[in-house]
């Protein structure tokens, strides 16, 4: 008897609410797909495919890049594997390819858990929890990290959803990013400076078409609405809209048009909420220091209709 092949992304957890459908996966604990009203909200991947280009992945205990994979914390130097060897960086944390365990499950909600045990480069104990919920308001994603060790540990997190409005490219998509400051990076993706967006190529505070703008930038100094949320808005030529929101736990938004990736190449737009900027383990900028027994929770989500009834 031939065993049924295991999907590359492991177990598939289907969530539904009304006309919304989400698939959360065991491998990486991330989002494989999200649709609403029969329309794809995320540019995801198939059940028989391995995740590519970070699609829907959980980025923890750091998002984005870490120069040379090395950093100092608590008076000690640590060296992580170079998971982006072409640029000599460690990228997107330690859990993207790890198995997560389902601890709670309902038709519209799932909670997954993963324990990061001490290892070379990150000798700390961290319990991670991801809570995915569907409601009339869309998708809510709550991320919680708890220091289960006996000493403080460095922590940051992010997520990597690619939003789509069904257009062939993102060029005609009207984008609003509520950020006053953009970070500039070197050819390794490491920040080398920041400047106000005022009137420049990366000023999307007022909605405008993406056009030919190449986006691979972290934005900060986020303008928030009265409810404390920062909202990135995308609108398509046919009137379709989608909004990604992030709470105060996320002080940065990475916006990436995927130009160098053959499987993306401006087909969709990654909008990545991040608690800290790239290279935070080295720079210390907005890095979270979790004391033993303490937790940090941050929440983001997607409104698949952009607030329309």
């Amino acid at each position: 008897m031939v065993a049924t092949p295991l999907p590359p992304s492991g177990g598939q957890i289907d969530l539904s609410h009304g006309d919304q459908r989400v698939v959360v996966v065991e491998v990486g604990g991330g989002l494989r797909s999200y649709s609403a009203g029969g329309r794809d909200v995320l540019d995801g991947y198939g059940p028989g495919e391995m995740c590519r280009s970070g699609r829907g992945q959980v980025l923890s205990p750091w998002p984005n890049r870490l120069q040379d994979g090395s950093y100092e914390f608590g008076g000690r130097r640590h060296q992580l594997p170079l998971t982006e060897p072409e640029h000599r960086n460690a990228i997107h944390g330690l859990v993207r390819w790890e198995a997560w365990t389902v601890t709670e499950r309902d038709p519209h909600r799932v909670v997954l858990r993963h324990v990061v045990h001490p290892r070379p480069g990150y000798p700390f104990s961290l319990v991670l929890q991801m809570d995915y919920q569907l409601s009339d308001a869309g998708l809510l994603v709550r991320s919680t990290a708890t220091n289960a060790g006996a000493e403080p540990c460095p922590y940051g997190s992010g997520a990597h959803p690619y939003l789509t409005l069904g257009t062939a490219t993102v060029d005609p998509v009207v984008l609003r990013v509520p950020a006053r400051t953009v970070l500039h990076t070197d050819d390794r993706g490491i920040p080398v400076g920041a400047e106000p967006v005022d009137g420049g190529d990366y000023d999307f505070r007022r909605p405008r078409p993406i056009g030919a703008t190449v986006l691979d930038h972290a934005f900060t100094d986020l303008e928030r609405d009265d409810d404390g949320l920062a909202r990135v808005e995308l609108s398509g030529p046919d009137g379709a809209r989608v909004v990604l929101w992030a709470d105060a736990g996320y002080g940065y938004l990475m916006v990436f048009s995927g130009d160098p990736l053959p499987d993306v190449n401006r087909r969709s737009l990654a909008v990545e909420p991040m608690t800290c900027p790239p290279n935070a383990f080295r720079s210390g900028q907005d890095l979270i220091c979790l004391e033993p027994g303490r937790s940090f929770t941050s929440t983001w989500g997607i409104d698949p209709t952009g607030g329309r009834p």
Side-chain angles (χ1 to χ4, degrees):
M1 183 175 67
V2 179
T4 302
L6 183 68
S9 52
Q12 310 288 298
I13 303 128
D14 296 295
L15 307 181
S16 64
H17 178 81
D19 64 4
Q20 300 177 72
R21 302 289 183 271
V22 158
V23 179
V24 177
V25 293
E26 173 191 9
V27 176
L31 290 163
R32 184 174 68 73
S33 65
Y34 179 26
S35 65
R39 176 179 64 84
D40 285 334
V41 179
L42 294 184
D43 183 9
Y45 56 103
E49 297 178 310
M50 181 175 167
C51 182
R52 295 165 295 158
S53 303
R55 280 178 165 79
Q57 290 186 320
V58 176
L59 316 179
S60 184
W62 76 89
N64 218 286
R65 291 161 175 82
L66 173 58
Q67 181 181 358
D68 299 327
S70 66
Y71 64 101
E72 290 186 5
F73 186 82
R76 290 180 290 170
R77 177 169 289 278
H78 304 285
Q79 179 64 57
L80 286 154
L82 300 182
T83 46
E84 190 184 44
E86 66 274 23
H87 295 303
R88 305 188 311 281
N89 295 322
I91 188 169
H92 289 334
L94 300 170
V95 301
R96 293 197 293 159
W97 307 107
E98 298 296 325
W100 291 60
T101 301
V102 174
T103 60
E104 298 179 48
R105 185 169 181 179
D106 292 302
H108 69 288
R109 177 178 181 241
V110 68
V111 179
L112 299 96
R113 181 178 184 267
H114 179 75
V115 179
V116 177
H117 292 288
R119 67 194 67 196
Y122 194 79
F124 310 103
S125 297
L126 199 62
V127 178
L128 302 176
Q129 179 175 288
M130 296 299 300
D131 184 344
Y132 297 94
Q133 302 181 42
L134 284 174
S135 72
D136 290 346
L139 174 66
L140 179 148
V141 183
R142 180 175 292 116
S143 173
T144 301
T146 302
N147 184 350
E151 59 183 73
C153 69
Y155 171 73
S157 72
H160 209 301
Y162 286 85
L163 303 179
T164 179
L165 290 172
T167 55
T169 73
V170 297
D171 296 24
V173 170
V174 173
L175 173 67
R176 178 179 179 267
V177 180
R180 303 181 185 93
T181 300
V182 62
L183 306 187
H184 295 291
T185 61
D186 61 17
D187 57 5
R188 296 172 62 186
I190 304 302
V192 293
E195 67 176 6
V197 299
D198 294 341
D201 291 342
Y202 306 108
D203 189 349
F204 285 93
R205 289 174 296 175
R206 292 185 177 180
R208 62 182 177 89
I210 295 172
T213 304
V214 175
L215 287 162
D216 191 5
H217 296 77
F219 293 83
T220 191
D221 293 333
L222 304 180
E223 299 170 346
R224 299 183 181 273
D225 296 330
D226 291 342
D227 57 6
L229 303 180
R231 289 177 167 86
V232 176
E233 304 171 11
L234 283 73
S235 303
D238 63 353
R241 297 185 71 232
V242 64
V243 170
L244 183 144
W245 56 264
D247 75 359
Y250 294 106
Y252 296 81
L253 293 165
M254 189 80 185
V255 183
F256 177 45
S257 50
D259 297 66
L261 303 179
D263 63 297
V264 181
N265 192 23
R266 304 185 69 81
R267 187 178 75 185
S268 53
L269 190 72
V271 180
E272 309 166 37
M274 304 188 302
T275 63
C276 58
N279 214 33
F281 270 30
R282 282 179 75 105
S283 69
Q285 185 172 355
D286 290 322
L287 182 66
I288 297 162
C289 177
L290 271 182
E291 296 293 332
R294 299 298 298 269
S295 298
F296 182 87
T297 297
S298 49
T299 306
W300 64 276
I302 298 173
D303 178 349
T305 67
R308 293 182 304 170

